[in-house]
Every structure is written in structure tokens, then in C-alpha cells.
Amino acid sequence: MKNKLPRKYKVIIIFQFVMIVFLFYCLISNYFIESDDKWFKEDSPDKKYSISAYFPNGVSTFGLTKARVRIYNKELKSYSCYFYIDIDSKGSRPNKDNYNLEWHEDYVIITTINSNGKSNSVRVYWEDL
């Protein structure tokens, strides 16, 4: 005599299996999405600072994409500053043509260039970090 599970238990088991697979997929895809959201990372000429930017919410297909810029102090081994900037890339992924870093002795100028050619700049002084 076979021990047969009632139909409702089979449905519950299948539902649980599907949910586990779905959650596993979400965890894996979130890991790959976060690791793929890097925009740029550059070191200062004197190698004291590193500036990196990434997209915490991914790249927007409509309107502005929000990027988080972080300034890492290599001497203190910690992030000294971070801020958000918006860039309009018309839904495409921003690349090396959408930013410019001008390194100076006392500061750095971070410029973002939108798809329409307009630019926005932020100047960060090292003494303020």
C-alpha cells in the first residue's frame, strides 16, 4: 500500500519549493546587480585619495540616474566623504564619457556630463575632508 500525500500538501510543498527558488534567484541577482553598478574608480596623482562612483538604485531607464560618489582617504583608510549626484543619460548606462575628474593640489573637481552635453561640477577641498 502506497502512502499518498493529500493534494493540498502537494500544493504546499510545490509552493514552498517555488518560493525558495525565487528567493535564491533574488539573492543571487541582487549580488550581481550590485557588483555591476560600478561607474568609475580613480586614484589621485599623489595616491592619497581614491574617488569611486556607483549606482545604488541601478540605472534609470527614465529621467535621471542617481550616482553615489565616495572619496576614500588612503592614509586614514576610511571614506572621508560621500554624496549623491544625478546624471541624465537617457536610459543608457553612464560611461567614462559622462564624467571628468580634475585633480589639483588642494582640491578635486568632479564633473558629470549629461546626454544633452550640459555639465554639473562639484569641487571638494582636501582640507574639508
Side-chain angles (χ1 to χ4, degrees):
M1 181 172 167
K2 286 186 174 180
N3 189 4
K4 194 171 184 184
L5 288 174
R7 181 172 172 81
K8 71 177 183 178
Y9 290 128
K10 288 180 183 179
V11 171
I12 291 172
I13 291 171
I14 291 171
F15 179 75
Q16 288 177 338
F17 177 76
V18 169
M19 289 303 297
I20 289 171
V21 169
F22 176 74
L23 290 174
F24 182 71
Y25 170 77
C26 289
L27 290 173
I28 294 297
S29 65
N30 190 31
Y31 170 76
F32 286 113
I33 288 171
E34 286 181 7
S35 65
D36 192 38
D37 285 343
K38 292 178 178 63
W39 183 13
F40 66 84
K41 182 178 180 183
E42 290 190 21
D43 292 333
S44 63
D46 61 3
K47 306 293 183 202
K48 289 182 181 179
Y49 297 95
S50 175
I51 297 179
S52 63
Y54 68 99
F55 308 110
N57 301 324
V59 177
S60 174
T61 54
F62 306 102
L64 301 174
T65 296
K66 187 174 290 297
R68 184 175 183 185
V69 178
R70 300 183 296 182
I71 301 176
Y72 184 77
N73 186 331
K74 291 184 175 186
E75 293 175 343
L76 298 176
K77 297 185 180 184
S78 66
Y79 286 99
S80 301
C81 174
Y82 68 90
F83 55 91
Y84 290 94
I85 54 174
D86 291 327
I87 182 165
D88 182 10
S89 59
K90 289 190 177 178
S92 63
R93 182 177 181 78
N95 58 31
K96 62 182 172 92
D97 297 329
N98 295 107
Y99 79 94
N100 185 34
L101 298 178
E102 289 181 43
W103 299 97
H104 298 272
E105 187 176 329
D106 296 333
Y107 59 90
V108 62
I109 299 175
I110 303 166
T111 304
T112 58
I113 303 156
N114 294 324
S115 58
N116 60 5
K118 293 184 180 179
S119 62
N120 298 313
S121 297
V122 175
R123 183 179 304 195
V124 179
Y125 286 91
W126 304 128
E127 65 184 27
D128 293 338
L129 298 179

